[in-house]
Amino acid sequence: MSADPRDSGVTLRVLLIAAVLVPANAYCVLFMSYERNIFDPTLVALFWNVLFLLGVLRAINQALLRWRPRTAFSRAELLSLWVLLAVATSGAGMDSMQCTFMTMQGAARFAGRENQWDELFLDRVPPAFTVSDEDALDRLWAGHSSIFDRNNLRVWIGPVVRWWAFMTVLWAAPIGRIQLLRKRWVENEKMGFPIVQLPQDLSMDR
């Protein structure tokens, strides 16, 4: 008898749902942080917005278990969605996107004779990762200019893609380290990992 493909966790439907929820979740976190000054989701290690979404998915799954059990999500699938949403929240959260965005354009925007940044460190800032076009920066700070404008895209697309690639490698590196340490941490040292206990309990079938 073949194993249930849902037990693998990362299934096609999980990826499709994540493709919808991850951007929506990231937008919600950014909106709360920068429009409403609500930084709560990422001030604690266990992101409450992700727990809320996991609770919603669990409620939907309970209905599927009752009425259409063959289409219900497995525990591994729910946990995979939780991990994907948590990583997306981390990238969009406090001290991540806002610091990266300021790093991309802050040095060129705020450099002046008063602070002498051009003499202190501007020559050490990699131009491939920053935006120094004065017209583009003026449009950004003045507002009333869409990021989808061709002139804006031409300036911003390069640094954004390079930062995206760098962040992808930066976030992927710990996954490889976890694979090396998992056996020792989980099987030998029996570490409890309390931060994951609530999501694990929330994803269990009742």
Side-chain angles (χ1 to χ4, degrees), residues 33-34 39 42-43 90-100 167:
S33 300
Y34 305 120
F39 297 100
T42 56
L43 286 180
S90 177
M94 188 177 183
D95 292 332
S96 182
M97 283 296 298
Q98 60 176 311
C99 293
T100 302
M167 289 296 186

Side-chain angles (χ1 to χ4, degrees), residues 161-203:
V161 169
R162 295 181 190 100
W163 273 105
W164 174 81
F166 172 74
M167 289 296 186
T168 299
V169 174
L170 185 66
W171 291 335
I175 298 176
R177 187 172 185 180
I178 288 172
Q179 293 300 316
L180 295 175
L181 298 175
R182 184 202 62 81
K183 183 177 179 64
R184 177 175 179 178
W185 283 352
V186 177
E187 299 180 14
N188 298 339
E189 299 182 9
K190 307 295 184 181
M191 297 182 68
F193 300 103
I195 196 174
V196 302
Q197 290 180 5
L198 182 56
Q200 282 185 326
D201 291 343
L202 194 58
S203 64

